[in-house]
Structures are given as structure tokens and as C-alpha cells.
Amino acid sequence: GKQVRLTFNITKAAGQHLLETPLSRDQEVKELAESYDICATVVESEQLKWWLRGFGEEVSCVTIGNSLA
């Protein structure tokens, strides 16, 4: 798959593990009151979409864009 820039919002309860195990080296985290905004360069794949869907309503505002790299 190709490298894409993934951004999404995730509840703090569901997203806590992403602080300890980032999705990528360039992952950026913005802490909000009850959630995190996450931005990372990842490989676009069915596995990625499946992983995101697995969070259900814990994840919102998902955007998959072209990587600048």
C-alpha cells in the first residue's frame, strides 16, 4: 500500500495506548479535554480501515490524505 497521512480523533480511553505505542515515528498528538487528535503517516490498507472501524464511535473525524513524503 501507499503511505498516507491519517488524522483522526479518538477518546482518551480508547487512544491511551497510542501515546505508548505510536502508529508511526512522525505521529503527532494533540490533547483535548476528553480526546486526542492523532496525525500519523501510515500505509493505507484494508487492515488500517478494519483497525479504525474496530473502535466504533470512539473514533471520529477520520481523514486519509496523500503523504507529503
Side-chain angles (χ1 to χ4, degrees):
K2 65 179 181 176
Q3 298 259 311
V4 294
R5 197 72 178 145
L6 171 69
T7 57
F8 61 96
N9 180 273
I10 190 166
T11 62
K12 285 190 173 177
Q16 185 66 38
H17 72 283
L18 294 172
L19 305 184
E20 299 155 15
T21 311
L23 290 172
S24 67
R25 285 189 305 239
D26 69 350
Q27 174 174 295
E28 298 168 24
V29 178
K30 181 178 174 187
E31 186 171 356
L32 305 172
E34 297 178 13
S35 62
Y36 300 112
D37 277 341
I38 306 284
C39 186
T41 301
V42 297
V43 175
E44 185 177 27
S45 65
E46 287 305 312
Q47 185 178 3
L48 173 66
K49 293 171 186 169
W50 176 84
W51 179 80
L52 285 166
R53 279 196 300 266
F55 289 105
E57 295 191 359
E58 306 277 345
V59 164
S60 61
C61 303
V62 177
T63 306
I64 298 176
N66 291 329
S67 175
L68 301 176

